[in-house]
Amino acid sequence: MPIAGGCHCGKIRYQAEGEPLNHSLCHCRDCRRHAGAPMVGWTMYPVAAVKVTQGRPKIYESSTNGRRHFCADCGTGLFYTNAKILPGIIDIQSATYDDPDAVPAQAHIQVAERIRWMERAHELPTFERYP
């Protein structure tokens, strides 16, 4: 199933073809710091399955082999690649899909680095909008 998405300001758009290999919620410190969020959803695809259809992401060397792709205008994180650990794979930040419900998450990963209060976040009160 093709899935499309893009950055917050709309200058970068992408499309992924076929079925994702995996969709995980990452709790590692590196992802949290980069996104400014307690966890980040990542969907893996073969590199050939993902095409940027508009704009050009900026690439940041976030570690020796890790590359984070983002919009230089609005700052939205879009992709992650690591040629050594994940050759031929690209991760898409799944919250950037036009329809984020289209690909349900399958697992939590890097929970050894999870923020402790995230273990029970599902027990917090919920509100449809601002309380």
Side-chain angles (χ1 to χ4, degrees):
M1 88 181 151
I3 190 163
C7 67
H8 187 261
C9 71
K11 290 185 179 175
I12 298 176
R13 300 285 302 156
Y14 65 81
Q15 184 165 331
E17 296 286 338
E19 292 297 317
L21 304 173
N22 187 299
H23 183 189
S24 296
L25 304 176
C26 186
H27 293 266
C28 82
R29 183 177 191 274
D30 194 48
C31 284
R32 291 194 329 260
R33 297 281 301 205
H34 186 262
M39 68 182 163
V40 178
W42 293 106
T43 307
M44 286 184 163
Y45 285 90
V47 170
V50 178
K51 303 284 185 237
V52 174
T53 58
Q54 177 181 304
R56 186 172 181 187
K58 182 171 174 78
I59 300 173
Y60 167 63
E61 295 181 9
S62 61
S63 64
T64 302
N65 297 299
R67 303 295 179 263
R68 292 180 183 274
H69 307 229
F70 65 97
C71 177
D73 290 307
C74 68
T76 302
L78 297 164
F79 314 117
Y80 175 82
T81 58
N82 187 315
K84 184 169 184 167
I85 296 172
L86 302 167
I89 300 292
I90 187 167
D91 271 327
I92 298 174
Q93 282 196 18
S94 56
T96 65
Y97 291 149
D98 293 342
D99 180 9
D101 284 326
V103 182
Q106 299 164 310
H108 289 269
I109 61 172
Q110 302 290 68
V111 295
E113 298 177 35
R114 177 173 50 198
I115 298 170
R116 281 185 289 162
W117 53 259
M118 280 298 294
E119 293 174 24
R120 300 180 68 151
H122 63 282
E123 297 174 7
L124 296 171
T126 61
F127 304 91
E128 290 292 320
R129 301 282 183 236
Y130 290 110

